[in-house]
Amino acid sequence: MSDSVKKELEKFELPTRTDFPWVNTLITVLAVLMSTVHIWFNTLSTWSELWVSATHFTGFAVICFLWYPAHASLKRNRVALVIDIWLALAAVACLIYIPFAEDALYERGVKFVASDWFFAIIAIVIAMELVRRTMGWFIPVLIVICLSYVVFWGKWMTGIFHFPGLSMETLLYRSFYSSEGMFGPISRISWSYVFMFILFGAFLVRSGVGDFIVNIARAAAGKVIGGPGFIAVLGSGLMGSVSGSSVANTVSTGVITIPLMQKAGFPSRFAAGVEAAASTGGQLMPPVMGAGAFIMASYTQIPYVDIIAVSFVPALIYFLSVGFFVRIEAKRSKVQKVVSGEASLMKVLISGWHNLIPIAVLVALLIEGFTPTYAAGISILSVIAASWLSKDHKMGPKAVLEALALGARNMAPTAVLLVGIGLVVNVISTTGIGNTFSLMIDGWANGDLLIMLVLIALASLILGMGLPVTAAYIVLGTLSAPALFTLLAENQLLDLMVAGQLPEQAKAIFMLAAPDKLSLLSAPMTLEVAKEMLLLVPADFKETLLEQSLGVETVGLALLSAHLIIFWLSQDSNVTPPVCLTAFAAATIARTPPMLTGMTAWKIAKGLYLVPILIAYTQLISWNISDVLLVGVFAIIGTYAMIGAMEGYLEGPLNVVLRLVLLCACVLLLWPSLPIGLRLFACGIFVAVFVYSRKVNEEQLSSIPLAGEKQPHEN
């Protein structure tokens, strides 16, 4: 990689103080200490959650102040370093103050004295400053807007956004001392689930699993036509599951895969787009998904193992959709095989089989019902044990310390981000603005699920311009998940009412709400009548009605579906212009125009929109394996048909008529609740077009004369 590319890629990395060796040494020591302390927190500690959260924030605040300067121009400035040391000490003082002042505060009836005001304000300011340094201005501005809404301008608002207001003292208490603010549930998720899995990923990387992943991808896909593109899809998908960051994934794997694709004959912009799209999907890949998956488990109270179980088929659809683009472009661009002499897949697996042990241990422990933190902790130990089966990556004490340091360093920006976002979530729950926003979205959608999905997609795109993926999911999930969940569940209830299959226990609730219309429930009815009857049920009875009608398991799946839809849509900011850092990072490696590369990545990552629609309208998220597989298989074929229609190419070029035929087949394959016979007919259409396009391509190739062959008209 050239020096100019390295310089450009540095723009996607946070500026750090690399010119102060003693700072690097101190940070390494602190990072090892933080990792060790967090392992203790998640195993043997009996500290209160407030103290643990405060320690979590303070430790990473110190690391961030020392490691990340206030501005890139100050990374060599000694005065700025001294100021940051004092700020780090201020963060430590906030931590020390909590246990000494907590009892006295409650004895005073939660009445603040001067020191309470001082330390609460300092802690919030420190959190906002650290988020600004690591994530930019958007989130600190959002925090200021939210906090000022509670105290000042909320009371001046009219209509649904009016809030009578809280005193500054109450706001600071809820933000700093209570279990709902910066040290609340989001912080607890940060120091437990998120940290342990980031640490697990650091141990995997240090043990050589990253090299093993790339070798698997090269062996599995390197010897087929378009192999470098498939290496990018497979390697980036697997690596993204470990790294947890799409930009980091792009930079780490893209420097290998993008030049390979260019050498094979892929257009440079397409190569960058494939890498960006595949890296974005890494956070959707089980068993180690992004931090948002742990927050989803906390929000929905659905076990993490259940979330990763239902996420496998959707992730498969996404990565296959990117692979279909690669296949089509490889055929169209006449891509050559450039990876030769690679070891066979079986040889790579045999030589590195020990690298699969930690993943197998993790999955087994999760299936057995162990908590994710416990499973991650045991899996970390299994990484160390498995490394001793390797020739080149045996993890001794030094390597273990390096992995501990790497995990804490990787965690630092995420830790301060999640603590800062806790302030926003606290305001949303305190003011009830989440319910207000949900009602507003529901009103705009007017009961139309597709319109609601479009509104949420637009909101996720706008939020994603300034928020990282995890933060965007937290904010959007808090605001819109209730409305989406209600609509998904009520649509299933309406289907039962229309079919006249409402359970008897649910009819009892209608008897309380509309006894004069109870007789209508014993027979099928029109959708309009069903909607009118549902409107008669008071809001307080809606949750009970849904559980009595659909069952607790089905209601839980509806809630999970709502959050998965939002989680998937929150990923789109990585590849959607005008702000798409993952695509920009790939463009830097490929040396292509950033915005045009973003458009290419956005096209290739169409699965980010297709899968949420499938989740909303089909049985893709279900515990019925046969239903999931049926939807998944038809969705995969339908996606291939859609991409072929978009590109005008399958195995060969397609004319307008064939593109329209493919589009019709795509609609039949993806449309929910169609008879299976009709879908099989659509499969037949796709196969026929596929075979025809291959025949056309072979005829075109055969008509091209070989080098040196005399043309018919030549003498």
Side-chain angles (χ1 to χ4, degrees):
M1 186 167 51
S2 66
D3 292 337
S4 61
V5 173
K6 287 182 180 179
K7 279 188 177 180
E8 287 297 316
L9 286 177
E10 286 177 359
K11 296 179 181 178
F12 298 96
E13 300 176 356
L14 295 172
T16 56
R17 290 190 171 101
T18 55
D19 294 336
F20 296 92
W22 69 269
V23 172
N24 295 336
T25 302
L26 178 58
I27 290 174
T28 300
V29 173
L30 289 173
V32 172
L33 178 62
M34 284 298 292
S35 291
T36 306
V37 167
H38 276 73
I39 293 172
W40 177 68
F41 284 157
N42 287 286
T43 53
L44 303 175
S45 172
T46 57
W47 281 15
S48 71
E49 290 184 345
L50 174 64
W51 293 9
V52 173
S53 294
T55 305
H56 169 75
F57 169 67
T58 301
F60 286 114
V62 172
I63 291 174
C64 287
F65 274 128
L66 293 176
W67 191 230
Y68 304 114
H71 191 270
S73 61
L74 301 175
K75 65 181 182 179
R76 296 180 180 87
N77 190 301
R78 295 182 181 276
V79 175
L81 176 58
V82 171
I83 293 173
D84 283 344
I85 290 173
W86 280 104
L87 289 173
L89 293 175
V92 175
C94 292
L95 168 65
I96 296 173
Y97 181 77
I98 288 177
F100 283 99
E102 191 177 15
D103 291 340
L105 175 66
Y106 290 115
E107 288 173 0
R108 293 192 302 270
V110 199
K111 297 295 182 183
F112 272 29
V113 296
S115 58
D116 295 325
W117 286 90
F118 176 79
F119 283 104
I121 292 173
I122 287 296
I124 293 172
V125 171
I126 286 174
M128 289 193 296
E129 167 60 13
L130 289 173
V131 174
R132 183 199 67 79
R133 292 188 185 195
T134 55
M135 299 293 172
W137 279 101
F138 189 94
I139 300 175
V141 171
L142 180 63
I143 292 172
V144 171
I145 291 173
C146 290
L147 295 179
S148 60
Y149 170 78
V150 174
V151 178
F152 299 113
W153 58 274
K155 63 184 74 173
W156 302 332
M157 296 287 289
T158 58
I160 60 176
F161 288 107
H162 174 75
F163 181 69
L166 297 175
S167 67
M168 179 66 77
E169 184 180 46
T170 302
L171 175 64
L172 291 177
Y173 167 76
R174 292 183 64 88
S175 299
F176 184 61
Y177 279 106
S178 78
S179 59
E180 301 297 329
M182 58 190 296
F183 303 140
I186 304 299
S187 178
R188 290 195 293 273
I189 295 168
S190 179
W191 58 256
S192 56
Y193 301 130
V194 177
F195 179 83
M196 291 300 290
F197 274 84
I198 284 182
L199 185 61
F200 174 56
F203 270 82
L204 287 176
V205 171
R206 182 59 185 82
S207 68
V209 171
D211 296 336
F212 176 64
I213 287 173
V214 173
N215 290 337
I216 283 181
R218 292 170 72 96
K223 297 179 181 179
V224 300
I225 294 176
F230 294 118
I231 291 173
V233 176
L234 183 59
S236 297
L238 295 173
M239 186 66 76
S241 184
V242 173
S243 70
S245 168
S246 56
V247 175
N249 188 10
T250 299
V251 173
S252 62
T253 60
V255 294
I256 299 173
T257 59
I258 291 175
L260 272 178
M261 285 188 276
Q262 291 172 315
K263 183 180 178 181
F266 283 106
S268 294
R269 201 169 76 199
F270 180 84
V274 167
E275 178 59 41
S279 296
T280 296
Q283 297 189 59
L284 306 170
M285 173 68 76
V288 184
M289 299 168 67
F294 303 109
I295 296 166
M296 188 189 308
S298 177
Y299 275 1
T300 62
Q301 294 300 299
I302 294 173
Y304 178 72
V305 66
D306 291 349
I307 293 175
I308 62 175
V310 300
S311 296
F312 177 76
V313 173
L316 180 63
I317 294 172
Y318 176 79
F319 282 104
L320 284 175
S321 71
V322 179
F324 295 150
F325 274 106
V326 170
R327 169 79 181 181
I328 288 172
E329 187 60 42
K331 285 288 186 178
R332 179 162 49 196
S333 300
K334 306 297 186 291
V335 168
Q336 303 298 313
K337 301 177 184 178
V338 298
V339 182
S340 59
E342 293 291 333
S344 66
L345 177 60
M346 186 58 65
K347 186 175 181 180
V348 172
L349 288 173
I350 292 174
S351 63
W353 66 271
H354 57 274
N355 290 291
L356 301 176
I357 293 175
I359 301 296
V361 170
L362 174 66
V363 173
L365 290 173
L366 289 172
I367 291 175
E368 286 297 316
F370 291 95
T371 64
T373 52
Y374 182 87
I378 298 299
S379 298
I380 289 172
L381 296 178
S382 72
V383 173
I384 300 172
S387 72
W388 281 85
L389 300 174
S390 168
K391 295 180 180 178
D392 304 320
H393 297 95
K394 291 182 173 67
M395 294 188 70
K398 181 182 177 182
V400 171
L401 291 176
E402 289 174 352
L404 290 171
L406 177 62
R409 286 191 186 217
N410 290 344
M411 180 66 195
T414 302
V416 296
L417 165 68
L418 293 179
V419 170
I421 284 294
L423 292 167
V424 177
V425 174
N426 178 42
V427 169
I428 292 173
S429 61
T430 298
T431 60
I433 199 170
N435 293 332
T436 301
F437 192 82
S438 290
L439 291 172
M440 187 170 65
I441 289 182
D442 192 44
W444 287 346
N446 194 27
D448 191 307
L449 182 56
L450 183 59
I451 294 177
M452 183 172 287
L453 293 177
V454 172
L455 291 173
I456 293 174
L458 290 174
S460 73
L461 179 59
I462 294 170
L463 285 174
M465 292 179 186
L467 292 175
V469 166
T470 302
Y473 163 68
I474 293 172
V475 174
L476 196 58
T478 305
L479 292 174
S480 59
L484 182 56
F485 156 66
T486 300
L487 188 54
L488 289 172
E490 287 185 354
N491 280 352
Q492 295 185 57
L493 173 59
L494 290 172
D495 290 341
L496 288 178
M497 295 173 66
V498 169
Q501 298 175 354
L502 197 68
E504 291 298 325
Q505 60 268 29
K507 293 179 182 178
I509 297 177
F510 278 100
M511 184 173 65
L512 296 174
D516 55 321
K517 297 186 177 182
L518 188 61
S519 59
L520 296 176
L521 297 173
S522 301
M525 64 182 72
T526 63
L527 181 60
E528 290 73 19
V529 172
K531 288 181 177 180
E532 290 175 3
M533 293 193 65
L534 188 57
L535 289 173
L536 297 175
V537 179
D540 295 342
F541 293 133
K542 283 285 180 70
E543 183 177 349
T544 303
L545 175 61
L546 291 173
E547 291 181 356
Q548 295 286 350
S549 303
L550 305 175
V552 175
E553 185 178 275
T554 303
V555 172
L557 280 174
L559 179 61
L560 178 57
S561 296
H563 278 272
L564 279 172
I565 289 170
I566 295 169
F567 181 62
W568 273 73
L569 291 175
S570 67
Q571 311 290 325
D572 70 341
S573 60
N574 285 319
V575 290
T576 307
V579 181
C580 42
L581 294 183
T582 302
F584 291 168
T588 300
I589 299 172
R591 300 192 177 195
T592 54
M595 200 60 68
L596 292 176
T597 303
M599 293 300 296
T600 302
W602 177 69
K603 179 185 74 171
I604 295 171
K606 275 294 169 285
L608 291 178
Y609 301 98
L610 176 63
V611 170
I613 293 175
L614 290 172
I615 292 173
Y617 285 100
T618 69
Q619 295 296 310
L620 186 60
I621 302 300
S622 170
W623 297 125
N624 189 320
I625 296 178
S626 60
D627 286 347
V628 173
L629 292 178
L630 191 65
V631 172
V633 169
F634 285 129
I636 289 168
I637 300 172
T639 301
Y640 204 167
M642 178 187 72
I643 294 170
M646 288 171 55
E647 296 292 284
Y649 209 98
L650 277 178
E651 295 294 282
L654 303 174
N655 57 35
V656 175
V657 174
L658 290 178
R659 294 175 74 174
L660 290 174
V661 169
L662 268 188
L663 185 60
C664 292
C666 163
V667 172
L668 293 176
L669 288 164
L670 298 178
W671 199 271
S673 303
L674 287 181
I676 191 170
L678 194 57
R679 296 188 179 195
L680 291 174
F681 173 72
C683 288
I685 293 176
F686 171 77
V687 171
V689 175
F690 185 90
V691 172
Y692 176 78
S693 67
R694 169 173 284 188
K695 182 179 179 182
V696 169
N697 189 48
E698 290 174 351
E699 290 176 352
Q700 289 181 346
L701 290 176
S702 64
S703 64
I704 299 175
L706 298 174
E709 183 179 337
K710 184 178 291 187
Q711 297 293 317
H713 63 276
E714 291 179 333
N715 296 322

